[in-house]
């Protein structure tokens, strides 16, 4: 099946295909690709780090891994509103991570965070007019359930104190809500310049 034929599919079918390919990519990073290929984890714990080492995240359950996987499959159909919104709302958490990596850690090659951030900026620049404001509700619900579940089940992020984890979640949620209202404001302003 060529990319042109994929583009002709119904958005729901292509979303399922993109999610399945993302699932495969995430499973490869969990079970095949060495943990030391995760730049931030390798930087923090050393390049001899392995999957399952005490205190390490289960890669499959990290939101960053899914941002990365979905950014790869984004190329299969770049106008998929579901995938676009998920990547679009990654801009704030990924920006915070990349700024920390660049300014404090001196880590300039973290493709797991940089690549999806580039795609998120592209979507923001080229496709922000297609933003569907109420999608933020679904995004927040899904992300909240996901993050707190993996935190309390000690699958990912549990190395951070609960208060820090909640503060991080709150800041990113508020930034995404603010971004949504800002884009709505810009749309209204363009539609009625007076």
């Amino acid at each position: 099946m060529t990319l042109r034929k994929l583009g002709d599919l119904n958005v729901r079918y292509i979303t399922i295909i993109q999610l399945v390919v993302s699932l495969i990519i995430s499973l490869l990073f969990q079970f095949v690709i060495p943990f030391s290929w995760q730049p931030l984890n390798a930087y923090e714990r050393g390049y001899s780090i392995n999957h399952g080492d005490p205190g390490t995240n289960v890669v499959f359950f990290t939101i960053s891994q899914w941002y990365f996987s979905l950014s790869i499959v984004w190329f299969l159909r770049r106008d998929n509103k579901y995938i676009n919104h998920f990547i679009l709302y990654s801009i704030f958490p990924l920006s915070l991570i990349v700024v920390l990596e660049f300014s404090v850690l001196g880590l300039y090659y973290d493709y797991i965070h940089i690549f999806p951030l580039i795609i998120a900026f592209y979507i923001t620049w080229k496709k922000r007019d297609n933003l569907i404001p109420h999608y933020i509700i679904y995004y927040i619900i899904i992300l909240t359930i996901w993050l707190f579940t993996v935190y309390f089940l000690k699958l990912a992020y549990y190395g951070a104190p609960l208060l820090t984890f909640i503060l991080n979640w709150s800041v990113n949620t508020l930034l995404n809500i603010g971004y949504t209202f800002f884009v709505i404001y810009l749309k209204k302003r363009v539609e009625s310049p007076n």
Side-chain angles (χ1 to χ4, degrees):
M1 183 177 282
T2 66
L3 287 180
R4 180 181 274 275
K5 288 182 182 176
L6 277 175
D8 294 336
L9 287 176
N10 178 301
V11 72
R12 290 184 184 178
Y13 292 125
I14 192 66
T15 301
I16 292 169
I17 291 168
Q18 286 176 294
L19 290 174
V20 167
V21 175
S22 293
L23 174 68
I24 292 167
I25 293 168
S26 295
L27 286 170
L28 286 172
F29 270 87
Q30 178 62 52
F31 295 109
V32 177
I33 297 172
F35 201 27
S36 59
W37 288 22
Q38 296 271 334
L40 182 58
N41 292 307
Y43 178 86
E44 291 177 336
R45 304 258 180 150
Y47 289 93
S48 61
I49 191 172
N50 293 305
H51 291 283
D53 283 354
T56 58
N57 291 328
V58 177
V59 172
F60 183 80
F61 292 105
T62 62
I63 192 74
S64 296
Q65 177 59 53
W66 281 91
Y67 287 146
F68 177 75
S69 298
L70 288 169
S71 295
I72 292 172
V73 301
W74 173 81
F75 289 97
L76 295 176
R77 182 161 176 183
R78 288 179 263 168
D79 64 343
N80 183 333
K81 60 185 178 181
Y82 305 117
I83 302 295
N84 281 359
H85 278 78
F86 194 78
I87 296 170
L88 178 87
Y89 289 124
S90 75
I91 203 162
F92 293 111
L94 290 176
S95 292
L96 294 172
I97 291 169
V98 169
V99 165
L100 173 74
E101 288 177 338
F102 276 47
S103 63
V104 176
L105 304 178
L107 183 63
Y108 306 110
Y109 57 91
D110 186 359
Y111 63 93
I112 296 291
H113 295 108
I114 294 170
F115 180 70
L117 183 60
I118 291 167
I119 301 297
F121 278 125
Y122 177 82
I123 292 169
T124 300
W125 177 45
K126 287 287 193 181
K127 300 184 181 292
R128 71 176 176 270
D129 292 340
N130 298 329
L131 181 69
I132 301 169
H134 70 269
Y135 276 26
I136 187 70
I137 297 166
Y138 305 122
Y139 175 79
I140 290 171
I141 291 170
I142 290 168
L143 203 62
T144 301
I145 292 169
W146 182 340
L147 289 174
F148 282 92
T149 300
V150 300
Y151 182 85
F152 287 115
L153 291 177
K154 296 193 178 210
L155 298 169
Y157 313 119
Y158 60 93
L162 181 59
L163 188 57
T164 303
F165 182 79
I166 291 171
L167 181 64
N168 187 31
W169 170 85
S170 302
V171 166
N172 284 304
T173 300
L174 291 173
L175 286 171
N176 278 317
I177 291 169
Y179 173 77
T180 303
F181 283 110
F182 179 69
V183 171
I184 292 169
Y185 167 77
L186 288 179
K187 275 183 176 179
K188 288 182 179 176
R189 191 161 178 175
V190 167
E191 290 169 3
S192 59
N194 294 335

